[in-house]
Amino acid sequence: MISTSANTFLQRARLEAERYGADPWVFVRELLQNARDAGAHRVWFEVSQNSGRERISCRDDGSGMDFEHAQRYLFSLYASSKRGRTRSAGKFGIGFWSVLRFEPDEIVIRSQAQWTKAWEVRLDDRLEGARVERTILERGTEILLERAATADDLERQVESAILRDAPYLHCRHRVEHPVEVRVNGRLVRAEPALPSPSLSFRRRGLRGAVGLGPEPKAEIFAHGLRVRDAPTLDELLVETRGDRQTLTGSFEGLAPRVVIDSRELEVLMARGDAKEDRALRRMVRVGQRELGRLVRAVLDRHAKLSPLARIVEHARELWSVPRMSRIAAGVLLAVAVVALAWSGARWLRPTRTRSADRSASKPTVEATSSPYRNLWESYRGPDVDSVGQFGAAVDLRYRPADGIRYFGALWILGIRADGSLISEHEATIGSYEGAPCADGCLEIDLVLEAPKGLLTLPIATGHLVDPLSVELDGRRLPVEALATGQPAIPLDEPRTGRLHYRSGPGPIGATISSQWPELPAEVADFVRENEALKPAALAAEVTEYVSRRIAYGTSDDIVAEYRRATRRSEDLFNRALAIGAGDCDIQNSLVAAMLDFAGTPSRLAVGWIGLDGRVMPGLHAWVEYQDEGGNWRTADASVANTAPSANVSALAQGRHPTGSGAGPKIFGLAVGAAALLASVAVMAFLRAGVWHRRLREGGAEDVLGLLRGAAVRPRAFEAIHSVSSRRVLRLLGGRSISLSTARRWATKGCLASGTSRCELARDAASGGGIVLDLEQPEAAAVADVLAAVNLDRWQRVLDNSEAHELTARVEASLGSAGEPCRIVVADLEGSEMAVLDGACVGLGAGALWIVLDRDGVAWRMVHRLAGPWPARAALLLADIVVNRVGSHLAVKRRCLSPIALDALREACESEA
């Protein structure tokens, strides 16, 4: 028999059940919790209703327990504590008080632990006695509850209780594997997910979903068991509940929904609640961060922002955090900038010294930026040091500033035998057929100083210019195509300013024919031996060949040899091979001619090399060819045998990189250090866990619901700064404001709304008022929620209003008292009087309208007195107006005194 302490516990359990009024189905959660803590991988519920009886059986494959253990712990209220077991989901045992809410008249408990015999306990219908029997059972525990049949659908209610209280249950010892829970053989399980728009996320030990729905709600689960819920994330923490009004019920608009399941939470009691510790606070921060990510995705999708615009908006959102956080971030940023500047100064100082030592015999050019002009005005063809004379870099900047970019400002499709150009660069062939950029875009800013005519656009290798993006100082310009295929803009007069355009990878289009001098015999033989190679491999062989035969060199001796060869009328390629040295445009002209001889379309490009978002000093020439995929690629014989980073550094200083010395050593050390840091970062990242996210996009109306919900319930979104800081509300006049700005103006009573068809709204907007554009759905929704002054409605009222001699008399009296206004009578719906303070909404200091309802009590009273007592009627109207407007006491006296005197005279005259 069970000891007396067990029966005492049952009585206490019944009292607890009646006292707390627990949900009768919370015992399902308790059964699953204990099965999970016993190490179960599977739990089976069998539900049956027959012969006037209904039965619920819960069977698990956990570790089970022997009878002695059950008598000491399961049937004892206080001895069953699991305190200290960090991997347990609960603190106490089966939770009989919750079982008794089901009101069973028989409870059967069966269990078998390893290496022990199975046992069974039956509690009688009065739960005051019990008997112990032997039974046959596989390892695990089974709880069976029976009662008289009811009209309830037990199977559906058990499933609902599982999905409500333990939908994501995971195994205790294999934490990444879910517990298999079945009801009458059917698997019952859910995953943290919400209807769109929503964002699901997971990492080791934590998973969840955030979304937007009609009702605010945050639910927290531990080990797959529900432990706490609240309307908002902040209210999950007890310390934030005291001074807040709870958000309940649905409302028009969308509100945050959060579901998070974590293995790090510490659960307090079997009824279910989590200890408010660092793990719970961290979970709240995770939910707020993911909600912010979801809201940004919704807003970005609505606004169709470019990557750069998204970065700007994200920076503005970060800047909208509290003032102390901004100060801390500013201090950290200043420290980082100073540290980087100091490190850079120390690194560059020896480098400059070495460069100066090596080039002491050669005059240097200050690497300052200069405005951009056409290169065809100064570049006449390949020659020794023909590009070296351009020392300064143009002021060209691009974003994103990643990788090395080659910006060609002049494309050459052929030269004559003596090296002079044969392409007519200034001829156009029609409009430039670029393509809108979708991926891998470059945003380019260029300071220019150009004469009248065509101006070529520097373009990165493999890119096409988006013709619709070309703007000079904010003004859009047409784009023409030159005979070489390069884009150019026509200038009707000399212009200076900042040119902005966008480019991106795109199709090559029509192939333009090129014309190069005849190759020397030995060079032609080399090309024939390798012409079967694919374009990329052929380009590598050709650049290697040219760099061996023609070394980079621009010394005075080499220049003198080229001049003597020119006087002998030797063609460019033969004299270059004979001398064995030359500038980068001589080397790469031969490369382009060899690739063209092999049937690979190619061209010589002259321009600048970009690094870290801007082009470097020193003009350079390279080859652009089409690879096997039809894309433009670069080939450069002047730097064919050196590392890319050394190439860029050498070209920036006007030198040929030799590939030896301290540069490669420093580069190797830098690569090694970067690899070590990357390895440490990867290990730390893997240790912390990788985040996996999946976004479920909603419809276009999500932004409307989001803004309406944030305007109605700002506290539900107070931790999501993008909602309040993003400028998504359009004003009349074109600019936009954020929700926080609109709310601030609405608090002052100075937020207006209207359409461009309304004269009153246009005047308010031109006067500096904040007038939301009602033709934009988002602005119209916020205007409705924040009760903005509807100027369209006021326009209709004023258009249908009329003046009266009484109103004119009161207007004159108020004007002389220092409070000018306009008083009219119109048809108002639902109010006796309406006041429009035009000064607040941008209509000027004297724009104050007072409108009385034509059918209102006040006007009818005034109008009735106007016949026999006009002065008394004017006094009554003036008193109503000054009190409604809230005029100052001095204004009231100055306004009412003369009218009251007229009324007194009128009364005296009538008595006489």
Side-chain angles (χ1 to χ4, degrees):
M1 294 295 293
I2 300 178
S3 65
T4 306
S5 62
N7 288 328
T8 303
F9 162 67
L10 294 179
Q11 297 298 328
R12 290 183 179 179
R14 174 173 288 176
L15 292 175
E16 288 285 303
E18 294 174 355
R19 175 183 175 187
Y20 288 102
D23 184 343
W25 296 97
V26 76
F27 75 91
V28 174
R29 176 191 186 281
E30 300 292 341
L31 295 176
L32 289 172
Q33 172 180 299
N34 282 273
R36 184 259 178 196
D37 287 345
H41 294 79
R42 287 175 292 276
V43 180
W44 302 273
F45 283 91
E46 296 293 336
V47 180
S48 61
Q49 292 176 299
N50 50 50
S51 302
R53 303 284 293 173
E54 54 189 21
R55 170 185 296 188
I56 295 179
S57 170
C58 177
R59 170 83 167 87
D60 65 67
D61 62 350
S63 59
M65 53 187 164
D66 57 30
F67 182 70
E68 181 181 359
H69 181 276
Q71 194 170 20
R72 291 180 57 191
Y73 295 101
L74 178 63
F75 301 120
S76 176
L77 177 61
Y78 301 106
S80 61
S81 173
K82 300 176 185 175
R83 192 174 305 277
R85 301 185 190 179
T86 58
R87 305 182 73 176
S88 296
K91 289 297 181 185
F92 291 89
I94 187 62
F96 265 98
W97 68 270
S98 63
V99 171
L100 295 182
R101 286 296 294 162
F102 182 67
E103 297 184 352
D105 52 27
E106 184 177 17
I107 300 176
V108 179
I109 303 173
R110 303 187 182 101
S111 186
Q112 179 176 357
Q114 192 173 15
W115 315 116
T116 63
K117 294 182 179 181
W119 56 270
E120 173 182 296
V121 171
R122 290 181 177 271
L123 303 176
D124 60 22
D125 56 353
R126 295 199 303 167
L127 301 178
E128 295 178 352
R131 63 179 183 274
V132 181
E133 300 176 355
R134 296 296 181 184
T135 187
I136 299 175
L137 186 71
E138 296 180 359
R139 194 180 69 167
T141 302
E142 180 178 5
I143 308 293
L144 188 147
L145 308 176
E146 284 193 18
R147 70 179 182 183
T150 64
D152 297 336
D153 185 348
L154 294 185
E155 184 174 349
R156 182 184 60 81
Q157 290 178 327
V158 170
E159 290 181 358
S160 299
I162 295 171
L163 294 175
R164 181 194 62 193
D165 293 327
Y168 323 125
L169 199 63
H170 275 65
C171 298
R172 178 184 177 187
H173 301 293
R174 302 176 64 188
V175 291
E176 295 301 322
H177 292 265
V179 175
E180 180 183 325
V181 182
R182 294 182 178 273
V183 178
N184 288 353
R186 183 170 58 256
L187 183 65
V188 179
R189 183 167 180 80
E191 290 297 328
L194 292 169
S196 60
S198 63
L199 176 69
S200 301
F201 56 91
R202 63 180 177 88
R203 56 164 288 181
R204 183 179 295 275
L206 187 144
R207 56 192 176 146
V210 293
L212 298 173
E215 182 179 341
K217 192 171 185 181
E219 301 172 272
I220 296 298
F221 294 80
H223 309 279
L225 296 165
R226 179 191 299 272
V227 292
R228 187 175 288 192
D229 57 58
T232 65
L233 276 169
D234 285 343
E235 292 183 70
L236 290 170
L237 305 176
V238 175
E239 60 189 23
T240 63
R241 295 180 187 174
D243 57 346
R244 293 174 178 267
Q245 182 181 359
T246 302
L247 298 178
T248 58
S250 61
F251 58 93
E252 189 175 3
L254 298 178
R257 293 286 310 276
V258 182
V259 177
I260 304 180
D261 179 28
S262 173
R263 296 202 311 265
E264 300 177 358
L265 292 181
E266 184 177 354
V267 180
L268 293 177
M269 299 290 288
R271 293 185 204 93
D273 199 358
K275 181 180 179 181
E276 190 160 322
D277 56 4
R278 185 171 59 182
L280 181 59
R281 289 190 289 271
R282 183 166 58 246
M283 183 183 294
V284 170
R285 290 195 298 270
V286 168
Q288 291 172 342
R289 183 190 66 202
E290 298 302 320
L291 269 173
R293 192 185 301 273
L294 171 65
V295 170
R296 284 196 300 273
V298 172
L299 294 174
D300 291 345
R301 180 173 176 267
H302 166 72
K304 300 178 181 178
L305 296 177
S306 64
L308 176 62
R310 294 187 182 189
I311 293 174
V312 172
E313 291 295 342
H314 188 49
R316 181 181 291 114
E317 176 190 342
L318 292 176
W319 195 248
S320 67
V321 300
R323 183 169 177 266
M324 292 305 299
S325 300
R326 293 202 303 269
I327 293 174
V331 170
L332 291 176
L333 181 61
V335 171
V337 169
V338 171
L340 288 175
W342 180 74
S343 301
R346 292 192 61 188
W347 170 257
L348 291 175
R349 192 178 300 114
T351 302
R352 289 175 179 171
T353 303
R354 289 194 296 269
S355 299
D357 293 340
R358 286 195 294 269
S359 58
S361 61
K362 185 176 179 180
T364 60
V365 180
E366 181 67 20
T368 58
S369 297
S370 61
Y372 169 72
R373 304 185 70 172
N374 281 322
L375 291 184
W376 67 51
E377 299 173 1
S378 51
Y379 183 81
R380 299 303 177 189
D383 197 0
V384 180
D385 208 25
S386 60
V387 297
Q389 59 183 311
F390 298 90
V394 297
D395 192 355
L396 185 153
R397 309 186 183 204
Y398 61 92
R399 302 177 303 274
D402 55 341
I404 301 172
R405 302 282 184 176
Y406 286 73
F407 287 90
L410 178 63
W411 293 349
I412 300 172
L413 302 179
I415 58 175
R416 297 184 178 90
D418 61 354
S420 60
L421 302 180
I422 60 176
S423 298
E424 294 296 330
H425 299 290
E426 298 186 6
T428 61
I429 59 174
S431 298
Y432 178 77
E433 296 182 2
C437 180
D439 192 19
C441 304
L442 282 180
E443 299 284 342
I444 302 171
D445 285 288
L446 176 66
V447 175
L448 60 86
E449 180 181 348
K452 178 181 178 180
L454 291 171
L455 180 71
T456 58
L457 299 179
I459 181 173
T461 301
H463 276 217
L464 293 177
V465 170
D466 180 358
L468 300 180
S469 68
V470 181
E471 296 180 352
L472 178 58
D473 291 337
R475 180 183 175 185
R476 183 175 162 189
L477 297 177
V479 185
E480 303 287 338
L482 301 180
T484 59
Q486 190 168 8
I489 56 174
L491 300 177
D492 52 0
E493 60 182 0
R495 297 292 298 272
T496 61
R498 182 170 292 277
L499 185 69
H500 174 81
Y501 55 97
R502 183 169 53 253
S503 69
I508 294 173
T511 303
I512 301 175
S513 60
S514 57
Q515 184 176 354
W516 300 93
E518 182 178 355
L519 295 178
E522 57 176 322
V523 177
D525 291 339
F526 175 83
V527 176
R528 293 189 186 97
E529 293 173 2
N530 294 277
E531 62 182 355
L533 297 175
K534 292 184 178 180
L538 176 62
E541 291 292 332
V542 167
T543 53
E544 172 69 16
Y545 175 84
V546 172
S547 65
R548 289 200 314 268
R549 296 297 309 274
I550 305 175
Y552 184 90
T554 58
S555 65
D556 294 340
D557 294 339
I558 295 175
V559 172
E561 289 187 38
Y562 267 89
R563 289 174 179 171
R564 288 193 294 269
T566 302
R567 287 194 292 268
R568 294 194 300 268
S569 300
E570 294 181 12
D571 64 85
L572 176 65
F573 292 160
N574 281 310
R575 66 176 181 251
L577 290 171
I579 296 171
D583 205 352
C584 57
D585 53 347
I586 294 178
Q587 293 175 300
N588 289 316
S589 294
L590 181 56
V591 172
M594 294 172 70
L595 292 175
D596 183 76
F597 184 83
T600 299
S602 59
R603 62 196 180 203
L604 181 67
V606 181
W608 294 270
I609 296 179
L611 181 67
D612 295 334
R614 59 187 308 169
V615 297
M616 300 184 303
L619 205 62
H620 187 55
W622 63 90
V623 174
E624 296 180 352
Y625 70 95
Q626 293 183 23
D627 64 7
E628 51 269 28
N631 301 309
W632 286 109
R633 300 276 297 275
T634 60
D636 194 351
S638 67
V639 291
N641 297 319
T642 55
S645 60
N647 300 349
V648 174
S649 176
L651 292 170
Q653 301 173 21
R655 301 182 287 103
H656 175 62
T658 62
S660 61
K665 296 178 181 178
I666 295 174
F667 179 74
L669 291 175
V671 170
L676 178 61
L677 290 176
S679 300
V680 174
V682 168
M683 293 298 295
F685 185 66
L686 292 177
R687 181 179 178 85
V690 181
W691 286 95
H692 301 276
R693 295 180 176 90
R694 185 171 69 90
L695 176 65
R696 297 181 60 186
E697 295 181 346
E701 67 280 0
D702 291 338
V703 174
L704 191 64
L706 173 63
L707 293 174
R708 182 180 290 275
V712 173
R713 299 284 178 83
R715 188 164 58 79
F717 292 88
E718 62 185 356
I720 308 173
H721 299 287
S722 55
V723 180
S724 57
S725 65
R726 188 70 65 90
R727 298 176 181 176
V728 294
L729 304 177
R730 190 174 65 210
L731 301 179
L732 288 184
R735 67 189 185 97
S736 299
I737 63 172
S738 64
L739 180 59
S740 62
T741 303
R743 186 180 291 113
R744 186 169 63 251
W745 283 92
T747 303
K748 300 176 183 178
C750 297
L751 181 66
S753 62
T755 63
S756 57
R757 299 184 299 274
C758 174
E759 181 181 359
L760 204 62
R762 293 197 304 269
D763 293 343
S766 61
I770 305 299
V771 185
L772 294 174
D773 188 356
L774 291 179
E775 294 177 346
Q776 185 200 32
E778 293 79 12
V782 172
D784 179 51
V785 173
L786 298 182
V789 179
N790 192 316
L791 296 178
D792 283 33
R793 190 178 304 154
W794 269 103
Q795 184 75 62
R796 291 192 297 270
V797 170
L798 295 178
D799 289 343
N800 296 321
S801 65
E802 59 183 16
H804 192 275
E805 58 181 356
L806 286 177
T807 62
R809 184 173 180 179
V810 175
E811 284 180 12
S813 181
L814 280 170
S816 61
E819 190 159 3
C821 64
R822 180 73 188 279
I823 305 174
V824 294
V825 180
D827 292 326
L828 297 178
E829 296 180 1
S831 62
E832 289 277 337
M833 184 185 302
V835 179
L836 173 61
D837 185 1
C840 189
V841 297
L843 292 172
L848 178 64
W849 282 272
I850 298 124
V851 182
L852 289 93
D853 185 16
R854 186 178 285 109
D855 297 326
V857 175
W859 178 249
R860 289 203 308 268
M861 185 183 303
V862 171
H863 193 266
R864 190 164 52 248
L865 285 174
W869 310 98
R872 187 181 299 180
L875 179 61
L876 176 60
L877 178 60
D879 185 64
I880 293 173
V881 169
V882 295
N883 283 286
R884 177 64 174 83
V885 174
S887 301
H888 192 269
L889 182 60
V891 174
K892 290 182 180 181
R893 289 174 179 173
R894 289 195 297 268
C895 172
L896 296 178
S897 294
I899 302 179
L901 183 59
D902 291 342
L904 183 60
R905 288 172 180 167
E906 181 183 69
C908 293
E909 290 173 358
S910 64
E911 291 179 0

